[in-house]
């Protein structure tokens, strides 16, 4: 702009020579002003870019969180991970339970894991790495999905433990009922047999027959 101004608007016109005494100072002021404005504009654009990225990251993670809250099975969580990661990277990818080694030579593998366990893996086509911003969002999505998988498995383990506890309680109740049902006739059998042993000679035939009959019935 300074060169154009010099060429068209200062004497001699259509030349880069300057005859006016104050023109160099004007040019200097124009250049300084241009540098300041350009620096501020570049800084503002950088801030806008960062704000846009932060908003995009927040929206994507919020959307992921909402989808995960509605996911009730591991299969649905894997689908959420695949959908959101594809939206982020715009690359072909596959999400698999456990650790997979079936990726192509030009693919990248990421893990759905918590501090304690690996729940799945993501095979993403393309050997070139993601930008730092995209990679941070990807890791956040993987972490959210891994926590959702952990919560589902913990809930299933608690449910299985509760079912096992109920089964154990039912078994204990059944054993108590059987023990009670067995104890009553055994007591009668033991009493009748003891009576026969102690008083066999004193009992008449009818009483003996009745006692034997009672033992037979109870057994």
């Amino acid at each position: 702009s300074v060169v154009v101004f010099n060429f068209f608007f200062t004497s001699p016109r259509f030349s880069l020579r300057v005859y006016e005494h104050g023109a160099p100072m004007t040019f200097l002021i124009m250049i300084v002003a241009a540098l300041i404005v350009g620096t501020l504009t570049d800084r503002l654009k950088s801030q806008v870019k960062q704000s846009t990225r932060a908003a995009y990251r927040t929206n994507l993670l919020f959307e992921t969180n909402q989808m995960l809250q509605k996911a009730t099975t591991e299969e649905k969580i894997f689908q959420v991970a695949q959908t959101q990661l594809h939206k982020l990277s715009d690359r072909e990818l596959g999400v698999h339970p456990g650790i997979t080694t079936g990726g192509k030579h030009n693919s990248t593998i990421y893990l759905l894991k918590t501090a304690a366990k690996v729940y799945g893996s993501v095979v993403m086509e393309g050997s070139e790495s993601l930008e730092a911003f995209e990679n941070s969002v990807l890791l956040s999505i993987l972490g959210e999905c891994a926590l959702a998988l952990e919560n589902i498995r913990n809930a299933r383990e608690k449910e299985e433990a509760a079912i096992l506890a109920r089964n154990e309680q039912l078994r204990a109740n059944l054993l108590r009922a059987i023990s009670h049902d067995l104890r009553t006739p055994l007591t009668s059998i033991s009493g009748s047999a003891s009576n026969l042993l102690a008083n066999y000679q004193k009992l008449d035939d009818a009483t003996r027959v009745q006692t034997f009959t009672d033992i037979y019935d109870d057994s």
Side-chain angles (χ1 to χ4, degrees), residues 158-191:
K158 289 181 179 179
E159 183 178 357
E160 291 174 352
I163 293 174
L164 181 60
R166 286 196 297 268
N167 290 340
E168 290 296 330
Q169 184 64 39
L170 289 173
R171 184 180 293 109
N173 292 340
L174 178 62
L175 289 176
R176 280 196 294 269
I178 292 174
S179 298
H180 179 269
D181 290 342
L182 289 176
R183 190 179 300 114
T184 300
L186 284 175
T187 301
S188 177
I189 292 172
S190 176

Side-chain angles (χ1 to χ4, degrees), residues 207-219:
T207 303
R208 292 173 186 169
V209 171
Q210 183 60 46
T211 304
F212 285 127
T213 302
D214 291 341
I215 293 174
Y216 179 81
D217 291 341
D218 287 334
S219 64

Side-chain angles (χ1 to χ4, degrees), residues 3 14 16 28 48 56 68 75 84 96 105 108-109 121 140 144 146 151 153 155-156 164 173 176 187 206:
V3 171
F14 309 114
L16 296 179
L28 179 61
V48 169
Y56 174 76
L68 289 175
E75 291 75 13
Q84 297 302 92
H96 311 279
H105 67 281
T108 306
I109 298 179
S121 54
S140 298
E144 290 287 335
N151 290 337
R153 295 195 178 182
R156 185 170 62 235
L164 181 60
N173 292 340
R176 280 196 294 269
T187 301

